[in-house]
Amino acid sequence: MPTPEPASRATLADVAARTGVAISTVSRALTRPERVNAATRERIAAAAAELGYTPNAAARALGSGRTRSIALLVSDVTNPFYFDIIRGAQQELGPAGYTPLLLDTEESEELEEAMLRRLRASYDGAIIAASRLTDRRLAELARTVPLVAINRQTRGVPSVFIDTPAGVEQVLEHLVSHGHRRVAYAAGPPTSWPNERRWRTFVAASERLGVAVSRVGPFEPRQSQGAAAADAVINTGATACLAFNDLLAIGMLRRFAERGVRVPDDLSVVGCDDIFGADFCHPPLTTITAPIAQAGRVAVSMLLAQLAGGASRRGVRLPTHLTIRASSGPAPGG
């Protein structure tokens, strides 16, 4: 029988022609071999090897109902916070035989939902880091798509929660111990679930500790927003501030230097996440250290348990802690 040209990619039809069986039989033999008798299966495997046939994701999906791909959605792929999420997820996905499908939702809840629905045939399940969807829309998706949310707690949605609110309490206790009595919070995006939880904890802890607090923002969680955030904090009269994330805090440090505000002599600055580079800036950033890569690994293990039909944890809480560096210190005149 004719052999396909070497430059052509072998297809199921080529393997079927070589072995004299139906295309559907070839598909079953390569994707669900237990449904084909041993002799036929061996003949098909040998022909596939001779022809250099390799099934693509679409073919696997048609034959087995599985793509062996996991959608990994992040709200800003340029944010170093997500680097460790991606790395941790890949550490679990690779050995399990899955490939990550990385999607940047650009801080948009509309784009996030559209990607999940439009690409549904391309992935078996999804991990959503820092979802911007409302609780209702996220819960609706979880009823139709196997998924795990990172940094989000929504009823009916399996989640990995990085407990930064507990870190916020540590921040205020640290600042109060240095004599600070007026502290500002530079808020993140209004659609960010962790942002509101941090602010609520910030307020509750301030009442317990007798601290006057103010809120500025919202700001996009990017270094470029740091100048506006720094200027707003100066106007509050606060002697210390907590930024929504490290990128915003690092941008604030640059602006304070431009304006001649000495950190921490005039004003203490604290970030959140402890991303790569937080200890390289000037001064090195005091921040809430989060187990980011671990969150990626745990989310994958929870999702794979769902896909396997076994028992899966509905929620996992990962603790955080405060890492003290040179950007925080005694209050002015303290």
PDB file of all heavy atoms in Angstrom, residues 152-167:
ATOM      1  N   ARG A 152      -9.387  32.827  46.554  1.00  0.00           N
ATOM      2  CA  ARG A 152     -10.813  33.145  46.470  1.00  0.00           C
ATOM      3  C   ARG A 152     -11.581  32.124  47.318  1.00  0.00           C
ATOM      4  O   ARG A 152     -11.285  30.936  47.274  1.00  0.00           O
ATOM      5  CB  ARG A 152     -11.276  33.069  45.018  1.00  0.00           C
ATOM      6  CG  ARG A 152     -12.729  33.402  44.777  1.00  0.00           C
ATOM      7  CD  ARG A 152     -13.006  34.874  45.049  1.00  0.00           C
ATOM      8  NE  ARG A 152     -14.360  35.222  44.690  1.00  0.00           N
ATOM      9  CZ  ARG A 152     -14.699  35.738  43.501  1.00  0.00           C
ATOM     10  NH1 ARG A 152     -13.775  35.942  42.582  1.00  0.00           N
ATOM     11  NH2 ARG A 152     -15.947  36.059  43.250  1.00  0.00           N
ATOM     12  N   GLN A 153     -12.556  32.584  48.076  1.00  0.00           N
ATOM     13  CA  GLN A 153     -13.423  31.672  48.830  1.00  0.00           C
ATOM     14  C   GLN A 153     -14.863  31.976  48.445  1.00  0.00           C
ATOM     15  O   GLN A 153     -15.406  33.023  48.794  1.00  0.00           O
ATOM     16  CB  GLN A 153     -13.217  31.849  50.333  1.00  0.00           C
ATOM     17  CG  GLN A 153     -11.887  31.313  50.844  1.00  0.00           C
ATOM     18  CD  GLN A 153     -11.713  31.500  52.332  1.00  0.00           C
ATOM     19  OE1 GLN A 153     -11.897  32.596  52.858  1.00  0.00           O
ATOM     20  NE2 GLN A 153     -11.349  30.442  53.032  1.00  0.00           N
ATOM     21  N   THR A 154     -15.460  31.057  47.692  1.00  0.00           N
ATOM     22  CA  THR A 154     -16.828  31.201  47.222  1.00  0.00           C
ATOM     23  C   THR A 154     -17.562  29.901  47.467  1.00  0.00           C
ATOM     24  O   THR A 154     -17.038  28.824  47.137  1.00  0.00           O
ATOM     25  CB  THR A 154     -16.860  31.547  45.718  1.00  0.00           C
ATOM     26  OG1 THR A 154     -16.197  32.796  45.505  1.00  0.00           O
ATOM     27  CG2 THR A 154     -18.284  31.636  45.200  1.00  0.00           C
ATOM     28  N   ARG A 155     -18.750  29.978  48.038  1.00  0.00           N
ATOM     29  CA  ARG A 155     -19.530  28.771  48.326  1.00  0.00           C
ATOM     30  C   ARG A 155     -19.730  27.945  47.062  1.00  0.00           C
ATOM     31  O   ARG A 155     -20.124  28.466  46.018  1.00  0.00           O
ATOM     32  CB  ARG A 155     -20.887  29.146  48.919  1.00  0.00           C
ATOM     33  CG  ARG A 155     -21.728  27.946  49.363  1.00  0.00           C
ATOM     34  CD  ARG A 155     -23.085  28.404  49.871  1.00  0.00           C
ATOM     35  NE  ARG A 155     -22.958  29.257  51.037  1.00  0.00           N
ATOM     36  CZ  ARG A 155     -22.841  28.806  52.290  1.00  0.00           C
ATOM     37  NH1 ARG A 155     -22.821  27.495  52.508  1.00  0.00           N
ATOM     38  NH2 ARG A 155     -22.750  29.655  53.299  1.00  0.00           N
ATOM     39  N   GLY A 156     -19.428  26.646  47.148  1.00  0.00           N
ATOM     40  CA  GLY A 156     -19.606  25.751  46.017  1.00  0.00           C
ATOM     41  C   GLY A 156     -18.427  25.684  45.075  1.00  0.00           C
ATOM     42  O   GLY A 156     -18.483  24.953  44.084  1.00  0.00           O
ATOM     43  N   VAL A 157     -17.354  26.426  45.367  1.00  0.00           N
ATOM     44  CA  VAL A 157     -16.176  26.450  44.493  1.00  0.00           C
ATOM     45  C   VAL A 157     -14.953  25.946  45.267  1.00  0.00           C
ATOM     46  O   VAL A 157     -14.561  26.568  46.263  1.00  0.00           O
ATOM     47  CB  VAL A 157     -15.892  27.875  43.974  1.00  0.00           C
ATOM     48  CG1 VAL A 157     -14.671  27.874  43.060  1.00  0.00           C
ATOM     49  CG2 VAL A 157     -17.112  28.426  43.246  1.00  0.00           C
ATOM     50  N   PRO A 158     -14.346  24.838  44.855  1.00  0.00           N
ATOM     51  CA  PRO A 158     -13.118  24.377  45.518  1.00  0.00           C
ATOM     52  C   PRO A 158     -12.047  25.474  45.435  1.00  0.00           C
ATOM     53  O   PRO A 158     -11.890  26.110  44.395  1.00  0.00           O
ATOM     54  CB  PRO A 158     -12.720  23.143  44.700  1.00  0.00           C
ATOM     55  CG  PRO A 158     -13.982  22.683  44.046  1.00  0.00           C
ATOM     56  CD  PRO A 158     -14.761  23.935  43.764  1.00  0.00           C
ATOM     57  N   SER A 159     -11.330  25.682  46.535  1.00  0.00           N
ATOM     58  CA  SER A 159     -10.422  26.823  46.547  1.00  0.00           C
ATOM     59  C   SER A 159      -9.166  26.563  47.362  1.00  0.00           C
ATOM     60  O   SER A 159      -9.143  25.741  48.279  1.00  0.00           O
ATOM     61  CB  SER A 159     -11.135  28.055  47.116  1.00  0.00           C
ATOM     62  OG  SER A 159     -11.456  27.851  48.485  1.00  0.00           O
ATOM     63  N   VAL A 160      -8.118  27.303  46.989  1.00  0.00           N
ATOM     64  CA  VAL A 160      -6.880  27.380  47.769  1.00  0.00           C
ATOM     65  C   VAL A 160      -6.755  28.835  48.199  1.00  0.00           C
ATOM     66  O   VAL A 160      -6.582  29.726  47.362  1.00  0.00           O
ATOM     67  CB  VAL A 160      -5.651  26.962  46.938  1.00  0.00           C
ATOM     68  CG1 VAL A 160      -4.387  27.080  47.783  1.00  0.00           C
ATOM     69  CG2 VAL A 160      -5.814  25.540  46.415  1.00  0.00           C
ATOM     70  N   PHE A 161      -6.870  29.059  49.496  1.00  0.00           N
ATOM     71  CA  PHE A 161      -6.884  30.418  50.034  1.00  0.00           C
ATOM     72  C   PHE A 161      -5.547  30.743  50.680  1.00  0.00           C
ATOM     73  O   PHE A 161      -5.138  30.103  51.641  1.00  0.00           O
ATOM     74  CB  PHE A 161      -8.013  30.552  51.048  1.00  0.00           C
ATOM     75  CG  PHE A 161      -8.048  31.874  51.772  1.00  0.00           C
ATOM     76  CD1 PHE A 161      -8.017  33.066  51.070  1.00  0.00           C
ATOM     77  CD2 PHE A 161      -8.122  31.915  53.157  1.00  0.00           C
ATOM     78  CE1 PHE A 161      -8.052  34.279  51.726  1.00  0.00           C
ATOM     79  CE2 PHE A 161      -8.160  33.129  53.823  1.00  0.00           C
ATOM     80  CZ  PHE A 161      -8.127  34.314  53.108  1.00  0.00           C
ATOM     81  N   ILE A 162      -4.838  31.729  50.123  1.00  0.00           N
ATOM     82  CA  ILE A 162      -3.607  32.225  50.733  1.00  0.00           C
ATOM     83  C   ILE A 162      -4.016  33.263  51.775  1.00  0.00           C
ATOM     84  O   ILE A 162      -4.569  34.313  51.431  1.00  0.00           O
ATOM     85  CB  ILE A 162      -2.681  32.854  49.671  1.00  0.00           C
ATOM     86  CG1 ILE A 162      -2.324  31.809  48.599  1.00  0.00           C
ATOM     87  CG2 ILE A 162      -1.411  33.393  50.323  1.00  0.00           C
ATOM     88  CD1 ILE A 162      -1.518  32.379  47.440  1.00  0.00           C
ATOM     89  N   ASP A 163      -3.764  32.975  53.031  1.00  0.00           N
ATOM     90  CA  ASP A 163      -4.329  33.766  54.120  1.00  0.00           C
ATOM     91  C   ASP A 163      -3.544  35.059  54.362  1.00  0.00           C
ATOM     92  O   ASP A 163      -2.925  35.249  55.416  1.00  0.00           O
ATOM     93  CB  ASP A 163      -4.389  32.927  55.400  1.00  0.00           C
ATOM     94  CG  ASP A 163      -5.273  33.561  56.465  1.00  0.00           C
ATOM     95  OD1 ASP A 163      -5.864  34.625  56.177  1.00  0.00           O
ATOM     96  OD2 ASP A 163      -5.371  33.004  57.574  1.00  0.00           O
ATOM     97  N   THR A 164      -3.607  35.976  53.399  1.00  0.00           N
ATOM     98  CA  THR A 164      -2.964  37.279  53.580  1.00  0.00           C
ATOM     99  C   THR A 164      -3.673  38.148  54.621  1.00  0.00           C
ATOM    100  O   THR A 164      -3.007  38.983  55.251  1.00  0.00           O
ATOM    101  CB  THR A 164      -2.854  38.032  52.247  1.00  0.00           C
ATOM    102  OG1 THR A 164      -4.111  38.005  51.572  1.00  0.00           O
ATOM    103  CG2 THR A 164      -1.808  37.385  51.359  1.00  0.00           C
ATOM    104  N   PRO A 165      -5.003  37.996  54.840  1.00  0.00           N
ATOM    105  CA  PRO A 165      -5.605  38.783  55.920  1.00  0.00           C
ATOM    106  C   PRO A 165      -4.926  38.560  57.276  1.00  0.00           C
ATOM    107  O   PRO A 165      -4.745  39.519  58.041  1.00  0.00           O
ATOM    108  CB  PRO A 165      -7.060  38.310  55.927  1.00  0.00           C
ATOM    109  CG  PRO A 165      -7.328  37.966  54.492  1.00  0.00           C
ATOM    110  CD  PRO A 165      -6.051  37.325  54.033  1.00  0.00           C
ATOM    111  N   ALA A 166      -4.521  37.324  57.566  1.00  0.00           N
ATOM    112  CA  ALA A 166      -3.800  37.075  58.827  1.00  0.00           C
ATOM    113  C   ALA A 166      -2.472  37.816  58.820  1.00  0.00           C
ATOM    114  O   ALA A 166      -2.012  38.323  59.858  1.00  0.00           O
ATOM    115  CB  ALA A 166      -3.573  35.580  59.011  1.00  0.00           C
ATOM    116  N   GLY A 167      -1.855  37.921  57.648  1.00  0.00           N
ATOM    117  CA  GLY A 167      -0.622  38.688  57.529  1.00  0.00           C
ATOM    118  C   GLY A 167      -0.849  40.171  57.764  1.00  0.00           C
ATOM    119  O   GLY A 167       0.022  40.868  58.306  1.00  0.00           O
TER     120      GLY A 167
END
